[in-house]
Amino acid sequence: MVADCNTIRLSATDRGIRAAVSFLRKGGLVAFPTETVYGLGADARSERAVAAIYRAKGRPAHNPVIVHVASAAEAAALIDLPDAGRKAAAAFWPGPLTLVAPVRGDSGIAPICRAGAETLAVRVPAHPLARRLLAAFAGPIAAPSANRSGQVSPTHADHVMEELLGRIDGVIDGGACDVGLESTILGFDADGSPRLLRPGGVSLEALEAALGPVGAAAIVEDEAPNAPGQLSSHYAPGAAVRLDAAAPELGEAWLGFGPDPARGSAISLNLSPSGDLEEAAATLFAALRQLDEWLDRRGSIAVASIPEHGLGRAINDRLRRAAAPRG
Ligand code: TXA
Ligand code: MG
């Protein structure tokens, strides 16, 4: 389903869900809202369907995808969770958390989802439409973020359309995503202790309150095919991004947080005038897209400092990636 298909905008109704399920059953690709970002879904048991995700996104074959299921019990049938993983599942599922653990031999998940790894990433999303889709499909749905590889994740159905129109069968339009940042990814060391792989919609503080100490981020490689360990330039707008700015310089666009400096740029947005990190997370990707569009994908976006706690860690992670040198 990659070139020249007629991408249908599906309504957030039983009819829309039924149409989405029939596409998935035929091995097609359907984007759907989760509380974090829109995912690009395919039947996770079908090698061919998941291969179509990689083609539609232009995603490197070495980058594994997250499998979405309806419940922690279904997740437990796919991966071997250590104690800390079961605790995390009980505390945060359904929700913006992904757990990475050794795949079970009888999972039935197409190996392509793991891209060669022995582990599988699994998530139980909370968004009502994602849950209705999973219930109606009655099977695991593989879904990376529904953007072209290397672009900012979509938080509105329109963002999905802008990038994947003609390359996928449909998108269920559920409006804006509440959290606005991708899920937190948690992995486990050989002894079962938890390690943060990607900061996201569940804060480190919340994880540690539930699990005790969580190992420092061993940031996973993302969509850009860089060498491991390099900061990938995923989430990159066309414009350059300048972080921790006190104010915009002449000609720069401005992305503020909290009270804005008096001399604002003509092209400016504010992630949260009141300095609320949840509001900032929810608006970040749409704001980056909007500023980039206003700048015609050139020039520079200056971004105010964001505090490094709570959701601020995930916001800063995405901003650092947006500002990283382009590969
Ligand atoms: O919020 C989210 O997580 C969204 C929604 C749709 O669920 N999905 C998402 O997927 O952000 P994606 O593919 O854009 O990012 C998933 C990340 C990638 O960096 C991938 O490398 C990593 O998860 N990942 C997937 N499977 C993995 C595994 N077995 N081990 C380590 N990292 C893995
Ligand atoms: Mg992504």
Side-chain angles (χ1 to χ4, degrees), residues 39 138 168 302:
I168 65 175

Side-chain angles (χ1 to χ4, degrees), residues 32 34-40 57 59 62-68 96-98 100-101 113-114 117-123 125 143-147 153 181-185 197-198 220-223 234-235 318 321:
F32 62 98
T34 80
E35 70 277 25
T36 57
V37 300
Y38 277 74
L40 179 56
K57 282 181 58 93
R59 183 181 180 97
H62 63 72
N63 193 359
V65 297
I66 299 173
V67 171
H68 297 69
L97 179 72
T98 295
V100 173
C113 293
R114 293 182 280 120
E118 294 303 316
T119 55
L120 179 70
V122 181
R123 176 172 169 223
S145 52
N147 49 280
S153 290
L181 290 175
E182 301 86 346
S183 61
T184 297
I185 304 183
L197 300 181
R198 177 177 74 183
V220 291
E221 195 38 46
D222 229 302
E223 302 197 5
H234 182 202
Y235 312 108
R318 305 310 188 265
R321 290 168 187 266

Side-chain angles (χ1 to χ4, degrees), residues 186-280:
L186 195 67
F188 303 93
D189 294 349
D191 66 358
S193 49
R195 181 170 298 280
L196 189 68
L197 300 181
R198 177 177 74 183
V202 174
S203 70
L204 182 60
E205 289 87 342
L207 279 177
E208 293 197 320
L211 307 177
V214 170
I219 297 298
V220 291
E221 195 38 46
D222 229 302
E223 302 197 5
N226 294 349
Q230 265 184 288
L231 189 61
S232 111
S233 71
H234 182 202
Y235 312 108
V241 175
R242 185 167 70 85
L243 302 180
D244 295 318
E249 280 166 11
L250 198 64
E252 263 185 327
W254 174 247
L255 185 56
F257 175 79
D260 262 339
R263 53 191 179 98
S265 158
I267 296 183
S268 80
L269 289 173
N270 196 309
L271 292 173
S272 171
S274 67
D276 179 273
L277 288 168
E278 286 180 12
E279 183 186 17

